[in-house]
Amino acid sequence: MTNFQSFYGIVTMIEDFLIDQTAGKDGCYKLISVEDGNGSLVNFVVEPCTYFVNQEIVTAGDMVTGFYDADAPVPLIFPPQFRAIVIAKDSNFANVKVAHFNNELVSSDNTLKLNIAPYTQILLRNGQPFTKNPANRNLIVIYGPTTRSIPAQTTPYKIIVLC
């Protein structure tokens, strides 16, 4: 089970991140710097497999949330540098949660419970339908309003299964 954490802020810089020029990877990796408004800064390494919610293009000045594995090894540098698993551009119409959801579809941090409706899209990262039960998996959940209960409950618009 992945220990997903997030960092929210404004994109201050995007630049190419050199991995290995000789292996044909030049230009395939990016470094996105994000500042939270309180002076905290994080650099996200964006790989070809990093999932961008709704395939949105991110530019400097955008508000984003970067999700990463808090248990993955990271270099001891400042600002901290994390491998981005998911990047979500801020939206007034939808929220994004990346977490492991148990057999009752409650997130690992116990803050969100999913109530799947017939119209909820359940997809793989590549956009193809996921036909099994999404319980007990790492999920990207795109949702709107929630209840004020603990955990909050929602009927998601879309679920992306991270196989």
Side-chain angles (χ1 to χ4, degrees):
M1 177 169 65
T2 304
N3 179 14
F4 291 101
Q5 294 294 319
S6 64
F7 188 83
Y8 174 78
I10 189 167
V11 175
T12 59
M13 181 182 63
I14 301 173
E15 62 185 24
D16 285 336
F17 187 69
L18 185 61
I19 295 292
D20 184 1
Q21 243 177 331
T22 61
K25 296 180 182 179
D26 191 25
C28 293
Y29 292 76
K30 302 287 183 192
L31 193 67
I32 297 180
S33 298
V34 179
E35 187 176 344
D36 71 355
N38 294 322
S40 295
L41 183 68
V42 164
N43 286 333
F44 286 110
V45 176
V46 175
E47 304 172 333
C49 64
T50 300
Y51 187 85
F52 281 78
V53 174
N54 297 325
Q55 295 183 337
E56 292 206 64
I57 304 295
V58 172
T59 60
D62 289 339
M63 298 299 291
V64 299
T65 303
F67 296 89
Y68 60 95
D69 181 354
D71 293 334
V74 296
L76 293 174
I77 59 173
F78 182 82
Q81 183 173 293
F82 303 114
R83 292 175 59 199
I85 297 170
V86 176
I87 301 280
K89 196 170 174 179
D90 203 14
S91 167
N92 292 331
F93 307 107
N95 304 300
V96 177
K97 174 85 172 175
V98 180
H100 182 83
F101 286 80
N102 68 15
N103 62 334
E104 296 177 3
L105 292 174
V106 176
S107 63
S108 54
D109 61 2
N110 203 37
T111 61
L112 189 64
K113 180 176 183 351
L114 308 180
N115 299 314
I116 297 176
Y119 61 82
T120 301
Q121 291 182 298
I122 305 175
L123 306 169
L124 294 168
R125 290 172 65 113
N126 63 10
Q128 297 305 303
F130 181 79
T131 56
K132 302 293 183 188
N133 185 347
N136 292 315
R137 298 178 189 271
N138 294 329
L139 306 175
I140 303 168
V141 180
I142 302 162
Y143 63 98
T146 64
T147 64
R148 294 188 181 266
S149 60
I150 299 176
Q153 296 188 37
T154 190
T155 304
Y157 305 137
K158 187 188 297 186
I159 296 172
I160 294 95
V161 179
L162 297 173
C163 290

